[in-house]
Amino acid sequence: MKYRAFVLLLALGIAGCGRDFEVEKVLKMTDVHTGWYDAGIYEGKNKLVPSVSLKLQNVSSDVVDNVQVNAIFRRVGETQAWGEHFVRAIDSSGLPAGQTGGSLVLRSNLGYTGTESRMQMLRNSQFVDAKVEIFGRHGSRSWQKLGEFPIDRQLLTE
């Protein structure tokens, strides 16, 4: 009899560990900042890449764990991705209910290069603005859109 109770409790514990949740309902993005990151010198030219920083807040009443985030960057008016950045945003230790995690910085691997100063590059008439779409998921669930933001024409050094 004790053995059956132990097996039942073990099975319930394992089932509880496998809970699934909808990231778009339990997480809220806060402190979102966008701009163009100074990526240094690339092949002798200044390089700027679109960047977004944000925090995730757990708005549920449970611990949220094992969340992946993907940022897809696109130039305004284009449908093709112009770089992306994938991270494990919340690890297995989880984010407690009501808490906000640390800052996530997501940058495209693609950007603009030029011989002009970085500020001149941002003011160039040929400069095409960009936007970022943020997606999240937990476990094997499909990616869910968490938000979309224009990339501000401001220079970021951090």
Side-chain angles (χ1 to χ4, degrees), residues 110-130:
L110 301 174
Y112 293 117
T113 58
T115 56
E116 301 173 306
S117 75
R118 290 154 182 87
M119 291 307 295
Q120 288 174 322
M121 288 172 64
L122 291 174
R123 293 186 199 119
N124 189 304
S125 64
Q126 301 297 310
F127 192 93
V128 177
D129 288 310

Side-chain angles (χ1 to χ4, degrees), residues 81-119:
W82 191 46
E84 62 184 279
H85 191 153
F86 170 85
V87 295
R88 185 171 185 189
I90 302 173
D91 64 19
S92 60
S93 62
L95 181 62
Q99 296 294 309
T100 301
S103 187
L104 299 173
V105 178
L106 307 163
R107 296 188 176 116
S108 174
N109 53 329
L110 301 174
Y112 293 117
T113 58
T115 56
E116 301 173 306
S117 75
R118 290 154 182 87
M119 291 307 295

Side-chain angles (χ1 to χ4, degrees), residues 26-58:
V26 299
L27 294 174
K28 172 182 157 186
M29 289 186 290
T30 65
D31 301 322
V32 178
H33 301 284
T34 65
W36 292 86
Y37 176 70
D38 178 355
I41 305 295
Y42 178 75
E43 294 182 354
K45 297 178 182 176
N46 293 323
K47 183 173 182 178
L48 297 176
V49 296
S51 176
V52 60
S53 65
L54 59 96
K55 293 180 180 180
L56 295 175
Q57 180 182 17
N58 179 352

Side-chain angles (χ1 to χ4, degrees), residues 2 11 15 21 70-71 80 82 95 101 105 108 121 123 128 131 140 143 153 158:
K2 288 182 183 178
F21 53 84
N70 197 23
Q80 184 175 352
W82 191 46
L95 181 62
V105 178
S108 174
M121 288 172 64
R123 293 186 199 119
V128 177
K131 65 180 181 176
S140 62
W143 290 98
R153 272 206 206 186
E158 293 183 9

